[in-house]
Amino acid sequence: MTSIQIDEAEDRVFARIVRPETRNAIDREMVEELHALCASLESEPRVLILSGTDTERNAVFASGADIRELRYRRRDQALSGINSSLFDRIAKLPLPVIAAVDGFALGGGAELAMAADFRIATPRARFGNPETGLGIMAAAGATWRLRELVGIAVATEILLAGRILDAREALALRLITEIHEPEDLLNAASRLADRIVAQDPLAVRITKMVMHMPRSSHPYVDDLAQAVLFEADGKEQRMTAFLNRKGTER
């Protein structure tokens, strides 16, 4: 891979975007590499930690779609959902995705972060969707994910008036859940991953799937999912261990 640096561990994968010469703009090659990463995580589920690049000049998570490519895309490319299908695939990965955002996450970069299950950031993080200023719209998730995350009023200001959120505003709006200094960001992401992998992996995986189900599927899908977990080994093992620790098993 040339756009993504991968560092793999037994229970997690670190993926760092490395196109500093373009401010980590998302081009077709990066999209293909991220699809390949998704395929790996679908076959061998692990927590994914996404981060950007800290250069001497500035820090960037991802500055958006590569305008040099985007300028020449037409209707058929838009209808193929180049970025939206990728971000949807990332959002549906079996185990959680953590976006560790340092610097700018704009346009498609912001939508990439929105596709993650968790977003943590540094004080210099900036989030925005300036697409309408370029004569297009944010079509890879922001029109609905952003509204769900920060509410319709703020989402409208970001999408239609070009508002950029700094880290403190993003934290107040719960777009992110934690702020850490740049040198501690990946360690913080690892600590969060530690908390995730300490849970039962099947319970985490099924809970994530159920959370993404439409409202009309509840509570029926919850009951079906719980029925699967009630028959799994993890329930018996973990509940037995819990009772043994408490000394309350009979």
Side-chain angles (χ1 to χ4, degrees):
M1 292 189 179
T2 60
S3 302
I4 310 291
Q5 285 184 352
I6 303 295
D7 185 11
E8 299 188 58
E10 182 179 356
D11 57 11
R12 70 200 65 180
V13 173
F14 293 85
R16 181 177 175 229
I17 302 171
V18 284
R19 295 192 73 217
E21 71 282 359
T22 64
R23 295 167 62 86
N24 287 352
I26 302 170
D27 66 352
R28 192 61 186 261
E29 183 177 8
M30 187 190 299
V31 168
E32 291 173 357
E33 292 180 358
L34 286 169
H35 271 299
L37 175 60
C38 286
S40 173
L41 292 170
E42 288 161 354
S43 63
E44 185 182 351
R46 286 168 289 175
V47 174
L48 173 61
I49 299 173
L50 282 170
S51 65
T53 307
D54 186 0
T55 68
E56 292 182 1
R57 297 181 58 187
N58 50 40
V60 181
F61 178 73
S63 61
D66 194 322
I67 302 300
R68 293 173 301 179
E69 286 187 358
L70 198 60
R71 181 182 179 187
Y72 295 103
R73 289 181 185 170
R74 293 295 184 262
R75 175 191 59 200
D76 289 346
Q77 286 79 32
L79 291 174
S80 69
I82 294 171
N83 285 358
S84 62
S85 60
L86 169 64
F87 298 165
D88 189 54
R89 189 175 186 181
I90 290 172
K92 292 177 179 176
L93 284 172
L95 291 180
V97 178
I98 302 168
V101 180
D102 187 15
F104 289 99
L106 301 175
E111 291 175 304
L112 174 58
M114 292 174 206
D117 300 282
F118 301 90
R119 284 161 299 280
I120 64 175
T122 71
R124 56 189 180 184
R126 299 292 184 271
F127 297 87
N129 287 94
E131 283 89 344
T132 52
L134 295 170
I136 58 174
M137 62 174 280
T143 55
W144 52 281
R145 285 196 178 102
L146 186 58
R147 180 176 62 185
E148 293 173 354
L149 289 166
V150 303
I152 185 64
V154 175
T156 299
E157 191 174 1
I158 292 169
L159 294 170
L160 303 185
R163 179 178 174 182
I164 303 292
L165 299 179
D166 63 26
R168 290 189 177 278
E169 291 172 316
L171 181 64
L173 291 164
R174 308 308 292 170
L175 179 61
I176 62 175
T177 54
E178 302 173 11
I179 296 178
H180 299 275
E181 291 303 316
E183 61 272 15
D184 188 45
L185 183 62
L186 289 183
N187 289 332
S190 278
R191 293 192 295 270
L192 178 54
D194 289 340
R195 290 159 50 196
I196 295 168
V197 300
Q199 313 304 310
D200 179 74
L202 182 61
V204 169
R205 185 171 179 174
I206 290 181
T207 299
K208 178 176 175 177
M209 291 175 63
V210 171
M211 288 178 65
H212 283 274
M213 295 290 184
R215 177 63 182 87
S216 59
S217 68
H218 301 284
Y220 313 107
V221 69
D222 304 71
D223 295 338
L224 288 171
Q226 190 75 300
V228 171
L229 290 171
F230 272 15
E231 296 297 323
D233 292 339
K235 168 181 176 280
E236 179 71 21
Q237 294 167 358
R238 286 174 174 263
M239 289 191 176
T240 298
F242 174 84
L243 292 172
N244 287 341
R245 288 195 304 271
K246 298 296 183 181
T248 56
E249 186 173 20
R250 295 180 180 177

